Amino acid sequence: MSKPTRLFSIFSAILLAILLVSLFRLQVLRGKYYQQVAESNVLRIRRIFATRGEIYDNKYRPIVQNIPSHDLYLTTNKVVDIEALARFLFHHLGIENEELVEIVQKQRFKSYEEILIADNIEYESMLKISEYLDNFPELNFRIGSTREYLYPNHFSGYVGRINEEEYEKYRSEDYSLNGYIGKTGLERFYEVLLRGKDGKEIVQVDSRGRSLDLFSHEESYLEPLNGLSLVLTIDNDLQNFCEKAFPRHLRGALVVSDIRTGGILAYVSKPDYDPNIFMQRISPEAWKELNHKSKPMLDRVIHATYPPGSVFKPVTAGLGMEKKLVNRNTRFKSCGGGYQYGNRYFRCWLHSGHGRTNIIQALAQSCDVYFYDLSLKLPLDEFKDYAQRSGFYGKTGIDLPNERRGFFPDTQWYKENYGQNIQTSGHKINLSIGQGEILTSPIQMNAYFAALANNGVWIQPHLLKQTVGRSRLTAAEVQPLKSMKLPFSDSDLKLILEGLYATCNSKYGTAAVVQVPGAKTFGKTGSAENSMGKTTHAWFCGHIETDKPEIAVTVFMENAGGGGSIAAPVAKQVFDYYIGNIEDIKRTVAIPAQFRTAEDEEEEPQEEEEIVQPEEAEDEEDIIEIEEEEEEEQ
Amino acid sequence: MINRKKFDFVLLALLVLLIFLGCIAIYSASTTVVSGFKGTQNYWWRQIIFAVVALAGLTFVIWLPMPIFDVLILPAFIANIIALIAVLFTPSVSGAHRWFSIGGINFQPSESAKLLSILIIARNISREGLSDYRKILNGFSIMLIPIILIMLEPDFGTTIVFWVSLMAMLIAADVPVFYILLILSPAFSVVASVHWIGIVLWLLFLIGFLVMSRLSWVTITVAGIVNGFVSLVMPLFWMGLKDYQQNRILTFLDPTRDPLGAGYQIIQSKIAIGSGYLFGKGWLGGTQKNMNFLPEHHTDFIFSTIGEEFGFAGSIILLGVFVAFFARMIRASGELMVSERRVATSGIFAYLISQSFINIGMNIGLVPATGIPLPFISYGGSNLLFNTLSVAVVLKYMNERGFMK
């Protein structure tokens, strides 16, 4: 035997001896002990669910809250008679046999763990089921927590049991198959903030309660970190008023936003649905209602896009000004109720015609011919570029999932869809008054009109104001808000605003109903022809100023009629309500006691000490909080 | 192709036996019986497909004419290094970049890197007229390339195996054993630095040993300084670590400190193996596997299923097959006269035996959990393929050895 071979043999023999001795000790000497441990089946990890963050309006009034629920759990390895169990569950809870088999199959590698088979069971059926629980040792009730949505709305979204697909997708994020996940709306968008982090506890006592002492250290408990609660920019009073102000029988959207911050104060989409119905097994009737042809599930504020009609005219006018084609005194052809271009005749909405108008009158009276004429001087691709710079092509970036893009066609698009030889002038005429292929969503319109009022600064619309709970983050800390300057010079912007003011306040203005004593109103109406029906979509977009700009309101109604006659009166109600209750709506509310952190209570010198010694990550969060508070105090 | 007089049929038979035992264990590990429902995940038949592919690969390697085989090693190694670089740019899977995923098949380039690095180093350090010093230097320099790339993935467990096989290859290349000990001495110093008595004893032993080995004074001085430095700096380094960093290292060494994470699995594995007692609970009769091992109990913790279902007797039989297998490989390394092939065989032997020891040791709570699978037994395609191919290389060398012996 050569020297290396001998060394290898000795080496292998040592390793073998180590393994043999260890295995002997483990399996023979201590085998009986481990058999007992194995039979008592008590060593396992129990998950302690973190409490999901709640959602509040800007005055800390609840919109979504947690309420206790009765949940039924199944432990698959304790099942005695699966057929009896299947009959029982079907009878009381309507769980089909296949569903049960699937649950058992899915759980096969964790048969000692409980799995949630029915959540949020009504009190009466819980009592009924409880009577029979002695026969089914595999079933037991636990008190869990479910969501309560305080009013029907489209922005909160709802949570649901995590499904297989989501479980696979978020595998690394420690979801439990018994857990919930945000499915739509804010619940989905801010899932990461709301969810928190589940805790864990290791159970290691045998059936007689003796500690098994398998772990040498006591760190067998990991506390859950509760989710952050969201404080929204929504104002429940205003939201509630807008809900009621929107005519019951109509479909559409109503958005109110704070001009200076971009925060949404009211967010209404009609018809609506109650998110609470997703918190229990959905009955077939409820399901039918959700799928009604009026589409109550559709969020018309961001998930749908529509032709804007005349509310788009400020954009056309803006490009005309940027290209120096329009100034205060520019007048085009006289409007005699229509415009002849080639062999086509484009009508103005007013058959009798508006005569020769300047830009302010054209906006106030919504003269189509003025814009037809202007559009012929605008290159299509610049028009698209300008619409994009005004926030109409693409998404606004509101903090809700699945926002729909706006659309504006360009030459390329027409060539692809209508052939290479397309003449775009006729289309341009249509686009100039917000008709044709252009599509916008109510939220885009609202952001644009808010920007007009805000010195031309466009701010990304958003619902989150700040978080409360473990850490206090402002919306900007969670996600930086985009903002941009609309392509207007100061004088051009002033001209547009004059036009919008005249719309509401001049004798011939299309929105002359929208006048509020003690405040200045601005706006633009629109009656958009569309492919969905004969009646036009009614639009009103505008804002109100006291000594400074206050709120921007967008009213949109599907196939409801004229913007001036149908949409504008609703906006007036909202403006009236706002001015009437302005003190109350703008009042700032002190942070409620349950959200105060220890630092809030402490006195200032101590806070300064903490700033001097920023050692750990946690302290850094504290500093951010302190700084915010200082700003608030100022 | 196969030379009946030289071909090691016993080694091949033991290899096939191990793979077969693996399939049996995987079938059980991926099957659960719950109140009349028997559910089997598709792992076991996939493993059978992997086994067929691996054996086909083995046949191919043996069939390949030796000159072509020799020529292919270098380009294959270079390609493998490129793959190791490329894999760092793949999307991360639970925090690591280890796998190429092509059409549902995952390929881990660090698996093939073990075999190819061994072959390349064997060729390099067994050249004629190379001083011991050059052998060590060359071996280290080449080995560092894959090791650094694999550390970047990051995958520290795998790199231990590289070091062990490098040591074995140096020994097989007739580098004196005390050089190897000298290389390893800083590692011993780290261990000894736990206590000051340990440091003193270790340094005295080391210097005595070096003097006895009649090494030059330069070597002794350098080794003394390096080891003294390491043993003195280690405690300072340890004290300089933050609490959580110390905890992380302590948890690695003693997983029961972390009952909610790594410790839970190790304890579960110990309960499973221990409760197997003398003769086990019978095939498919394991109860502990139904607990929370997923997804490791058919890969890294497969031995716990074997220990539970076949008891001490089963563990002994499996160890016996492994012992016979490794004895056969040691014999092969003794019989090969071409130095390059002998060195390569030693490296392959070391790489397989160290993985087996670390994996079983991990299952019974003896060594820290490092994510190293049990060769031929654990579920996993690229792992099985390259382990089998490395045995194929040994079989090939044996088959084509000269008549000198």
Short mmCIF file of all heavy atoms in Angstrom, two decimals, chain A residues 5 7-8 12 16 20 22 27 31 35 37-38 43-45 82 108-110 112-113 202 214-217 222, chain B residues 32 37 41 177 256-257 259 264 267-268 273-275 277 288 290-292 307 311-312 315-316 323 330 349 366:
data_model
loop_
_atom_site.label_atom_id
_atom_site.label_comp_id
_atom_site.label_asym_id
_atom_site.label_seq_id
_atom_site.Cartn_x
_atom_site.Cartn_y
_atom_site.Cartn_z
N THR A 5 -2.47 6.15 -0.25
CA THR A 5 -3.58 5.22 -0.10
C THR A 5 -3.80 4.90 1.37
O THR A 5 -4.94 4.84 1.85
CB THR A 5 -3.28 3.91 -0.85
OG1 THR A 5 -2.46 4.21 -1.95
CG2 THR A 5 -4.55 3.27 -1.29
N LEU A 7 -3.00 6.76 3.89
CA LEU A 7 -3.58 7.95 4.52
C LEU A 7 -5.08 8.06 4.27
O LEU A 7 -5.87 8.31 5.18
CB LEU A 7 -2.91 9.20 3.95
CG LEU A 7 -1.76 9.78 4.75
CD1 LEU A 7 -1.12 10.91 3.98
CD2 LEU A 7 -2.27 10.29 6.09
N PHE A 8 -5.47 7.82 3.01
CA PHE A 8 -6.89 7.90 2.67
C PHE A 8 -7.68 6.88 3.47
O PHE A 8 -8.79 7.16 3.94
CB PHE A 8 -7.10 7.68 1.17
CG PHE A 8 -6.56 8.81 0.32
CD1 PHE A 8 -6.08 8.56 -0.96
CD2 PHE A 8 -6.53 10.11 0.81
CE1 PHE A 8 -5.58 9.59 -1.73
CE2 PHE A 8 -6.02 11.14 0.04
CZ PHE A 8 -5.54 10.88 -1.24
N SER A 12 -10.64 7.75 6.01
CA SER A 12 -12.00 7.23 5.83
C SER A 12 -12.44 6.48 7.07
O SER A 12 -13.61 6.59 7.50
CB SER A 12 -12.08 6.28 4.64
OG SER A 12 -11.43 6.85 3.54
N LEU A 16 -15.75 7.18 9.28
CA LEU A 16 -16.74 6.11 9.47
C LEU A 16 -17.00 5.89 10.95
O LEU A 16 -18.16 5.77 11.38
CB LEU A 16 -16.24 4.82 8.81
CG LEU A 16 -17.17 3.62 8.98
CD1 LEU A 16 -18.47 3.85 8.21
CD2 LEU A 16 -16.51 2.34 8.52
N LEU A 20 -20.50 6.12 12.86
CA LEU A 20 -21.05 4.92 13.50
C LEU A 20 -21.37 5.20 14.96
O LEU A 20 -22.46 4.85 15.45
CB LEU A 20 -20.06 3.76 13.40
CG LEU A 20 -20.10 2.99 12.08
CD1 LEU A 20 -19.09 1.86 12.09
CD2 LEU A 20 -21.51 2.45 11.83
N SER A 22 -21.91 8.09 16.42
CA SER A 22 -23.02 9.03 16.55
C SER A 22 -24.36 8.35 16.26
O SER A 22 -25.34 8.57 16.98
CB SER A 22 -22.86 10.21 15.59
OG SER A 22 -21.58 10.73 15.69
N GLN A 27 -29.55 6.35 17.53
CA GLN A 27 -30.62 5.42 17.18
C GLN A 27 -30.77 4.28 18.17
O GLN A 27 -31.85 3.72 18.31
CB GLN A 27 -30.36 4.84 15.78
CG GLN A 27 -30.46 5.91 14.70
CD GLN A 27 -30.51 5.32 13.32
OE1 GLN A 27 -29.53 4.78 12.83
NE2 GLN A 27 -31.67 5.37 12.69
N GLY A 31 -32.63 5.92 21.14
CA GLY A 31 -33.72 5.61 20.21
C GLY A 31 -35.08 5.61 20.88
O GLY A 31 -36.04 6.18 20.37
N GLN A 35 -38.25 7.90 20.07
CA GLN A 35 -39.54 7.30 19.68
C GLN A 35 -40.68 7.96 20.43
O GLN A 35 -41.72 8.27 19.85
CB GLN A 35 -39.52 5.79 19.98
CG GLN A 35 -38.99 4.99 18.81
CD GLN A 35 -39.10 3.51 19.05
OE1 GLN A 35 -39.22 3.06 20.19
NE2 GLN A 35 -39.02 2.73 17.99
N VAL A 37 -40.66 10.96 21.73
CA VAL A 37 -40.82 12.32 21.23
C VAL A 37 -41.62 12.30 19.93
O VAL A 37 -42.55 13.08 19.73
CB VAL A 37 -39.45 12.98 21.00
CG1 VAL A 37 -39.64 14.35 20.37
CG2 VAL A 37 -38.69 13.10 22.30
N ALA A 38 -41.27 11.34 19.06
CA ALA A 38 -41.94 11.27 17.77
C ALA A 38 -43.42 10.97 17.95
O ALA A 38 -44.27 11.50 17.23
CB ALA A 38 -41.28 10.21 16.89
N LEU A 43 -43.74 18.68 18.83
CA LEU A 43 -42.74 19.67 18.46
C LEU A 43 -43.14 20.30 17.14
O LEU A 43 -43.10 19.66 16.10
CB LEU A 43 -41.37 19.02 18.33
CG LEU A 43 -40.28 20.01 17.98
CD1 LEU A 43 -39.91 20.83 19.19
CD2 LEU A 43 -39.07 19.30 17.45
N ARG A 44 -43.60 21.50 17.19
CA ARG A 44 -43.92 22.13 15.92
C ARG A 44 -43.93 23.64 16.05
O ARG A 44 -43.97 24.18 17.15
CB ARG A 44 -45.24 21.63 15.36
CG ARG A 44 -46.48 22.16 16.00
CD ARG A 44 -47.66 21.44 15.43
NE ARG A 44 -47.79 20.15 16.06
CZ ARG A 44 -48.85 19.81 16.79
NH1 ARG A 44 -49.84 20.64 16.93
NH2 ARG A 44 -48.94 18.63 17.35
N ILE A 45 -43.88 24.28 14.90
CA ILE A 45 -43.85 25.74 14.89
C ILE A 45 -45.26 26.25 14.68
O ILE A 45 -45.97 25.79 13.80
CB ILE A 45 -42.92 26.25 13.77
CG1 ILE A 45 -41.48 25.91 14.11
CG2 ILE A 45 -43.09 27.74 13.59
CD1 ILE A 45 -40.50 26.29 13.04
N ILE A 82 -63.19 10.35 6.60
CA ILE A 82 -63.18 11.51 5.71
C ILE A 82 -64.53 11.70 5.02
O ILE A 82 -64.93 12.82 4.70
CB ILE A 82 -62.03 11.42 4.70
CG1 ILE A 82 -61.83 12.77 4.00
CG2 ILE A 82 -62.24 10.33 3.69
CD1 ILE A 82 -60.43 13.12 3.73
N ARG A 108 -50.49 17.75 2.45
CA ARG A 108 -50.03 16.41 2.82
C ARG A 108 -48.66 16.39 3.48
O ARG A 108 -48.37 15.48 4.24
CB ARG A 108 -50.02 15.51 1.61
CG ARG A 108 -49.08 16.00 0.55
CD ARG A 108 -49.23 15.17 -0.68
NE ARG A 108 -48.56 15.88 -1.74
CZ ARG A 108 -48.96 15.87 -2.99
NH1 ARG A 108 -50.01 15.19 -3.34
NH2 ARG A 108 -48.29 16.53 -3.89
N PHE A 109 -47.82 17.37 3.25
CA PHE A 109 -46.51 17.33 3.89
C PHE A 109 -46.50 18.05 5.23
O PHE A 109 -45.51 18.09 5.90
CB PHE A 109 -45.44 17.91 2.97
CG PHE A 109 -45.11 16.97 1.86
CD1 PHE A 109 -45.51 17.24 0.58
CD2 PHE A 109 -44.44 15.80 2.13
CE1 PHE A 109 -45.22 16.35 -0.44
CE2 PHE A 109 -44.15 14.91 1.12
CZ PHE A 109 -44.55 15.19 -0.16
N LYS A 110 -47.64 18.63 5.57
CA LYS A 110 -47.69 19.33 6.85
C LYS A 110 -48.93 18.86 7.58
O LYS A 110 -49.70 19.65 8.08
CB LYS A 110 -47.79 20.83 6.63
CG LYS A 110 -46.59 21.43 5.95
CD LYS A 110 -46.82 22.89 5.76
CE LYS A 110 -45.73 23.50 4.93
NZ LYS A 110 -46.06 24.86 4.56
N TYR A 112 -49.58 17.76 10.27
CA TYR A 112 -49.74 18.05 11.68
C TYR A 112 -50.16 19.49 11.90
O TYR A 112 -50.44 19.89 13.00
CB TYR A 112 -48.44 17.78 12.44
CG TYR A 112 -48.09 16.33 12.48
CD1 TYR A 112 -47.40 15.73 11.44
CD2 TYR A 112 -48.47 15.55 13.56
CE1 TYR A 112 -47.10 14.40 11.46
CE2 TYR A 112 -48.16 14.21 13.60
CZ TYR A 112 -47.48 13.62 12.55
OH TYR A 112 -47.19 12.30 12.58
N GLU A 113 -50.18 20.25 10.83
CA GLU A 113 -50.54 21.65 10.98
C GLU A 113 -52.00 21.87 10.66
O GLU A 113 -52.59 21.19 9.83
CB GLU A 113 -49.67 22.51 10.05
CG GLU A 113 -48.38 22.87 10.69
CD GLU A 113 -47.58 23.84 9.86
OE1 GLU A 113 -48.14 24.47 8.95
OE2 GLU A 113 -46.36 23.93 10.12
N ILE A 202 -42.41 28.16 19.02
CA ILE A 202 -42.17 26.73 18.91
C ILE A 202 -42.79 26.05 20.11
O ILE A 202 -42.63 26.48 21.25
CB ILE A 202 -40.68 26.43 18.75
CG1 ILE A 202 -40.49 24.97 18.36
CG2 ILE A 202 -39.88 26.73 20.00
CD1 ILE A 202 -39.27 24.76 17.53
N LEU A 214 -35.55 20.28 23.95
CA LEU A 214 -34.71 19.86 22.83
C LEU A 214 -33.80 21.00 22.39
O LEU A 214 -32.82 20.78 21.71
CB LEU A 214 -35.59 19.43 21.67
CG LEU A 214 -36.27 18.09 21.91
CD1 LEU A 214 -37.45 17.94 20.98
CD2 LEU A 214 -35.29 16.95 21.70
N PHE A 215 -34.16 22.19 22.75
CA PHE A 215 -33.35 23.32 22.32
C PHE A 215 -32.65 23.92 23.54
O PHE A 215 -33.27 24.15 24.57
CB PHE A 215 -34.22 24.37 21.64
CG PHE A 215 -34.80 23.86 20.37
CD1 PHE A 215 -36.09 23.38 20.32
CD2 PHE A 215 -34.02 23.82 19.23
CE1 PHE A 215 -36.61 22.90 19.15
CE2 PHE A 215 -34.54 23.34 18.05
CZ PHE A 215 -35.83 22.87 18.01
N SER A 216 -31.40 24.16 23.37
CA SER A 216 -30.61 24.61 24.51
C SER A 216 -30.90 26.07 24.84
O SER A 216 -30.57 26.55 25.90
CB SER A 216 -29.14 24.41 24.22
OG SER A 216 -28.83 24.91 22.95
N HIS A 217 -31.52 26.79 23.91
CA HIS A 217 -31.73 28.21 24.16
C HIS A 217 -33.20 28.54 24.16
O HIS A 217 -34.01 27.84 23.58
CB HIS A 217 -30.98 29.04 23.12
CG HIS A 217 -29.50 28.81 23.18
ND1 HIS A 217 -28.67 29.57 23.94
CD2 HIS A 217 -28.74 27.84 22.63
CE1 HIS A 217 -27.44 29.10 23.82
NE2 HIS A 217 -27.45 28.06 23.04
N LEU A 222 -40.93 34.30 18.55
CA LEU A 222 -40.62 35.46 17.72
C LEU A 222 -41.88 36.29 17.63
O LEU A 222 -42.90 35.83 17.13
CB LEU A 222 -40.19 34.98 16.33
CG LEU A 222 -39.58 36.01 15.41
CD1 LEU A 222 -38.20 36.39 15.88
CD2 LEU A 222 -39.49 35.42 14.00
N THR B 32 -46.84 10.59 1.01
CA THR B 32 -47.44 10.73 2.33
C THR B 32 -48.74 9.97 2.35
O THR B 32 -49.49 9.98 1.37
CB THR B 32 -47.76 12.19 2.64
OG1 THR B 32 -46.71 12.98 2.17
CG2 THR B 32 -47.94 12.38 4.11
N PHE B 37 -55.57 8.76 2.05
CA PHE B 37 -55.05 9.37 0.83
C PHE B 37 -53.57 9.08 0.72
O PHE B 37 -52.81 9.33 1.66
CB PHE B 37 -55.21 10.89 0.87
CG PHE B 37 -56.62 11.32 0.70
CD1 PHE B 37 -57.39 11.63 1.80
CD2 PHE B 37 -57.17 11.41 -0.56
CE1 PHE B 37 -58.70 12.03 1.64
CE2 PHE B 37 -58.47 11.82 -0.72
CZ PHE B 37 -59.24 12.12 0.39
N GLN B 41 -45.48 12.94 -4.73
CA GLN B 41 -45.06 14.00 -5.64
C GLN B 41 -44.17 13.37 -6.70
O GLN B 41 -43.69 12.27 -6.54
CB GLN B 41 -44.33 15.08 -4.86
CG GLN B 41 -45.30 15.81 -3.97
CD GLN B 41 -44.73 17.09 -3.43
OE1 GLN B 41 -43.54 17.19 -3.26
NE2 GLN B 41 -45.60 18.04 -3.16
N VAL B 177 3.21 15.30 3.86
CA VAL B 177 2.01 15.56 4.66
C VAL B 177 2.17 16.79 5.54
O VAL B 177 1.22 17.53 5.76
CB VAL B 177 1.69 14.32 5.52
CG1 VAL B 177 0.47 14.59 6.38
CG2 VAL B 177 1.46 13.12 4.64
N THR B 256 -29.20 24.54 17.18
CA THR B 256 -30.30 24.52 18.15
C THR B 256 -30.48 25.88 18.82
O THR B 256 -31.46 26.10 19.51
CB THR B 256 -30.07 23.46 19.24
OG1 THR B 256 -28.82 23.75 19.90
CG2 THR B 256 -30.03 22.07 18.67
N ARG B 257 -29.55 26.78 18.60
CA ARG B 257 -29.73 28.14 19.10
C ARG B 257 -30.85 28.85 18.35
O ARG B 257 -31.34 29.86 18.82
CB ARG B 257 -28.45 28.95 18.92
CG ARG B 257 -27.32 28.56 19.82
CD ARG B 257 -26.11 29.38 19.49
NE ARG B 257 -26.36 30.79 19.73
CZ ARG B 257 -26.05 31.40 20.87
NH1 ARG B 257 -25.49 30.74 21.84
NH2 ARG B 257 -26.31 32.67 21.03
N PRO B 259 -34.18 27.86 17.16
CA PRO B 259 -35.20 26.82 17.06
C PRO B 259 -36.25 27.12 16.00
O PRO B 259 -36.91 26.21 15.52
CB PRO B 259 -35.86 26.81 18.44
CG PRO B 259 -35.22 27.87 19.23
CD PRO B 259 -34.19 28.56 18.43
N TYR B 264 -34.72 23.99 14.01
CA TYR B 264 -35.95 23.21 13.96
C TYR B 264 -35.78 22.00 13.06
O TYR B 264 -36.13 20.88 13.41
CB TYR B 264 -37.07 24.11 13.45
CG TYR B 264 -38.42 23.47 13.42
CD1 TYR B 264 -39.10 23.21 14.59
CD2 TYR B 264 -39.00 23.09 12.21
CE1 TYR B 264 -40.35 22.62 14.57
CE2 TYR B 264 -40.24 22.50 12.18
CZ TYR B 264 -40.93 22.28 13.37
OH TYR B 264 -42.16 21.70 13.34
N ILE B 267 -33.34 19.40 14.59
CA ILE B 267 -33.98 18.64 15.67
C ILE B 267 -34.99 17.66 15.09
O ILE B 267 -35.04 16.49 15.49
CB ILE B 267 -34.67 19.61 16.66
CG1 ILE B 267 -33.62 20.36 17.48
CG2 ILE B 267 -35.62 18.87 17.57
CD1 ILE B 267 -33.02 19.55 18.59
N GLN B 268 -35.78 18.12 14.13
CA GLN B 268 -36.75 17.22 13.50
C GLN B 268 -36.04 16.03 12.88
O GLN B 268 -36.48 14.89 12.95
CB GLN B 268 -37.55 17.96 12.42
CG GLN B 268 -38.50 18.99 12.94
CD GLN B 268 -39.71 18.38 13.63
OE1 GLN B 268 -39.74 17.18 13.90
NE2 GLN B 268 -40.69 19.19 13.93
N ILE B 273 -34.53 10.31 12.80
CA ILE B 273 -33.52 9.26 12.74
C ILE B 273 -33.50 8.46 14.04
O ILE B 273 -33.50 7.23 14.05
CB ILE B 273 -32.13 9.87 12.46
CG1 ILE B 273 -32.11 10.51 11.07
CG2 ILE B 273 -31.04 8.80 12.56
CD1 ILE B 273 -30.87 11.30 10.77
N GLY B 274 -33.53 9.19 15.17
CA GLY B 274 -33.50 8.52 16.46
C GLY B 274 -34.70 7.59 16.65
O GLY B 274 -34.56 6.47 17.11
N SER B 275 -35.89 8.09 16.22
CA SER B 275 -37.08 7.28 16.45
C SER B 275 -37.11 6.04 15.55
O SER B 275 -37.96 5.17 15.73
CB SER B 275 -38.34 8.12 16.24
OG SER B 275 -38.44 8.49 14.89
N TYR B 277 -34.95 3.84 15.69
CA TYR B 277 -34.46 2.80 16.61
C TYR B 277 -33.69 1.71 15.86
O TYR B 277 -32.96 2.03 14.92
CB TYR B 277 -35.64 2.23 17.42
CG TYR B 277 -35.22 1.55 18.70
CD1 TYR B 277 -34.24 2.07 19.53
CD2 TYR B 277 -35.83 0.35 19.08
CE1 TYR B 277 -33.87 1.43 20.70
CE2 TYR B 277 -35.48 -0.30 20.25
CZ TYR B 277 -34.47 0.25 21.06
OH TYR B 277 -34.10 -0.39 22.19
N GLN B 288 -42.37 11.11 10.77
CA GLN B 288 -41.78 12.42 10.98
C GLN B 288 -41.60 13.17 9.67
O GLN B 288 -41.57 14.39 9.64
CB GLN B 288 -40.43 12.30 11.69
CG GLN B 288 -40.55 11.75 13.08
CD GLN B 288 -41.46 12.58 13.94
OE1 GLN B 288 -41.17 13.73 14.21
NE2 GLN B 288 -42.59 12.03 14.35
N ASN B 290 -43.65 13.62 7.53
CA ASN B 290 -44.85 14.42 7.27
C ASN B 290 -44.78 15.77 7.93
O ASN B 290 -45.63 16.61 7.72
CB ASN B 290 -46.09 13.69 7.79
CG ASN B 290 -46.37 12.47 6.99
OD1 ASN B 290 -45.67 12.19 6.02
ND2 ASN B 290 -47.38 11.73 7.38
N MET B 291 -43.80 15.95 8.79
CA MET B 291 -43.68 17.23 9.47
C MET B 291 -43.16 18.27 8.50
O MET B 291 -43.34 18.15 7.33
CB MET B 291 -42.75 17.09 10.67
CG MET B 291 -43.23 16.05 11.65
SD MET B 291 -44.58 16.61 12.69
CE MET B 291 -43.67 17.44 13.93
N ASN B 292 -42.42 19.16 9.02
CA ASN B 292 -42.22 20.38 8.25
C ASN B 292 -40.96 20.48 7.40
O ASN B 292 -40.48 21.56 7.16
CB ASN B 292 -42.22 21.54 9.23
CG ASN B 292 -43.38 22.44 8.93
OD1 ASN B 292 -43.92 22.35 7.83
ND2 ASN B 292 -43.76 23.27 9.85
N GLY B 307 -33.02 6.83 7.91
CA GLY B 307 -32.80 6.49 9.31
C GLY B 307 -34.10 6.17 10.02
O GLY B 307 -34.15 5.29 10.87
N GLY B 311 -34.18 2.31 10.37
CA GLY B 311 -33.53 2.19 11.68
C GLY B 311 -32.02 2.13 11.61
O GLY B 311 -31.40 2.43 10.60
N PHE B 312 -31.45 1.71 12.73
CA PHE B 312 -29.99 1.62 12.82
C PHE B 312 -29.47 0.60 11.81
O PHE B 312 -28.46 0.83 11.13
CB PHE B 312 -29.61 1.21 14.25
CG PHE B 312 -28.13 1.22 14.51
CD1 PHE B 312 -27.39 2.39 14.36
CD2 PHE B 312 -27.47 0.06 14.91
CE1 PHE B 312 -26.02 2.40 14.60
CE2 PHE B 312 -26.10 0.08 15.14
CZ PHE B 312 -25.37 1.24 14.99
N SER B 315 -29.32 2.21 8.48
CA SER B 315 -28.22 3.18 8.39
C SER B 315 -26.89 2.46 8.19
O SER B 315 -26.05 2.88 7.39
CB SER B 315 -28.13 4.02 9.66
OG SER B 315 -29.38 4.52 10.00
N ILE B 316 -26.70 1.34 8.95
CA ILE B 316 -25.46 0.59 8.85
C ILE B 316 -25.29 0.02 7.45
O ILE B 316 -24.21 0.08 6.85
CB ILE B 316 -25.46 -0.58 9.88
CG1 ILE B 316 -25.47 -0.03 11.30
CG2 ILE B 316 -24.26 -1.49 9.66
CD1 ILE B 316 -24.18 0.59 11.72
N VAL B 323 -19.05 2.51 2.35
CA VAL B 323 -17.69 2.10 2.71
C VAL B 323 -17.08 1.24 1.59
O VAL B 323 -15.96 1.48 1.14
CB VAL B 323 -17.68 1.35 4.06
CG1 VAL B 323 -16.34 0.64 4.25
CG2 VAL B 323 -17.94 2.31 5.19
N ILE B 330 -10.42 4.00 -3.22
CA ILE B 330 -9.06 4.08 -2.69
C ILE B 330 -8.17 3.08 -3.42
O ILE B 330 -7.04 3.38 -3.82
CB ILE B 330 -9.05 3.80 -1.17
CG1 ILE B 330 -9.82 4.91 -0.44
CG2 ILE B 330 -7.64 3.71 -0.64
CD1 ILE B 330 -9.95 4.69 1.05
N PHE B 349 -12.34 11.00 -5.15
CA PHE B 349 -12.64 10.26 -3.92
C PHE B 349 -12.92 11.23 -2.76
O PHE B 349 -13.91 11.11 -2.05
CB PHE B 349 -11.46 9.33 -3.59
CG PHE B 349 -11.34 8.96 -2.14
CD1 PHE B 349 -12.18 8.00 -1.58
CD2 PHE B 349 -10.40 9.57 -1.32
CE1 PHE B 349 -12.09 7.67 -0.24
CE2 PHE B 349 -10.30 9.24 0.02
CZ PHE B 349 -11.15 8.29 0.56
N LEU B 366 -24.32 16.65 13.72
CA LEU B 366 -22.90 16.58 14.07
C LEU B 366 -22.13 17.76 13.47
O LEU B 366 -21.21 18.27 14.09
CB LEU B 366 -22.34 15.27 13.50
CG LEU B 366 -21.26 14.56 14.27
CD1 LEU B 366 -21.72 14.24 15.67
CD2 LEU B 366 -20.89 13.27 13.54
#
